[in-house]
Amino acid sequence: MNIMTTADDYGVVSEDATMTLERLLPGPIGRIWAHLVDSDLRRHWLAAGAMEQRVGAPVDLVWRNDELTDPPGTRPDGMDEEHRMTCEVLEFDAPHRLAISWGSTGGVTFTLREQGAHVSLTITHRRVADASLLLNVSAGWHSHVDVLEAKLRGTAATPHWDNFVRLRGEYAARLKG
């Protein structure tokens, strides 16, 4: 179990309550893209849910975070065993850009850029106005991408829930400052 987080791995929150997280992952780009759009691959790091690959298509995301790592860690109070949300594909430009709606926020955009044998994944989660939601979104994206990176590198991820709780504490301190 590795904690691979470096100072550059943390998301940055801008004044309009937009969180941006960037991570350099082992490519090729098609492999990373598949982990965004293929339900069977996405469920291993984020959430399951079939996605028609076209603008306007619904995406029914299903989180089962206890299944992301073995062991899963200790689930925090208030977090359910399963969570569901219906989103909509807002942009689809394979294999470079995917944007989806996201609850009461301004939506999430995934941008992929090739960098040699690696791929830069940028996640931009816009207009997360509620402070407690912003904290969970920041720690959530970071911990989920940690799982993705470990899987892509063939290493063991830190237990998801323990990593999430640790990161939530770190983001709480960062967002206050």
Side-chain angles (χ1 to χ4, degrees):
M1 292 175 271
N2 301 318
I3 296 177
M4 300 181 293
T5 302
T6 68
D8 292 337
D9 290 334
Y10 285 86
V12 176
V13 177
S14 60
E15 289 183 25
D16 64 347
T18 293
M19 193 283 304
T20 303
L21 179 91
E22 186 171 355
R23 189 75 57 94
L24 196 61
L25 301 171
I29 196 168
R31 178 181 182 211
I32 309 305
W33 182 257
H35 279 79
L36 296 177
V37 298
D38 182 290
S39 177
D40 289 335
L41 293 172
R42 190 179 349 96
R43 77 177 182 86
H44 291 287
W45 72 276
L46 181 64
M51 174 187 296
E52 278 187 62
Q53 298 184 19
R54 64 173 179 81
V55 171
V59 183
D60 292 317
L61 296 175
V62 181
W63 283 264
R64 294 186 185 104
N65 290 333
D66 290 352
E67 298 174 4
L68 297 179
T69 59
D70 185 19
T74 304
R75 184 177 341 120
D77 291 339
M79 296 291 187
D80 295 327
E81 190 174 322
E82 181 177 288
H83 175 71
R84 293 175 176 266
M85 180 171 60
T86 299
C87 303
E88 178 183 341
V89 176
L90 302 173
E91 291 182 53
F92 195 90
D93 180 18
H96 299 286
R97 190 172 172 91
L98 170 67
I100 60 175
S101 65
W102 198 276
S104 63
T105 71
V108 177
T109 301
F110 303 89
T111 306
L112 301 178
R113 288 185 326 277
E114 292 177 295
Q115 292 187 351
H118 293 86
V119 176
S120 171
L121 166 65
T122 302
I123 299 172
T124 306
H125 197 139
R126 292 175 306 286
R127 296 187 310 276
V128 188
D130 178 83
S132 63
L133 180 58
L134 180 60
L135 180 59
N136 284 341
V137 160
S138 299
W141 280 120
H142 192 142
S143 59
H144 282 285
V145 173
D146 282 353
V147 173
L148 173 62
E149 182 175 6
K151 290 186 184 302
L152 293 171
R153 293 188 187 283
T155 61
T158 301
H160 174 74
W161 285 120
D162 298 345
N163 193 34
F164 172 79
V165 169
R166 177 186 66 81
L167 288 165
R168 190 167 58 182
E170 291 180 14
Y171 275 98
R174 287 170 170 268
L175 294 174
K176 282 183 184 175

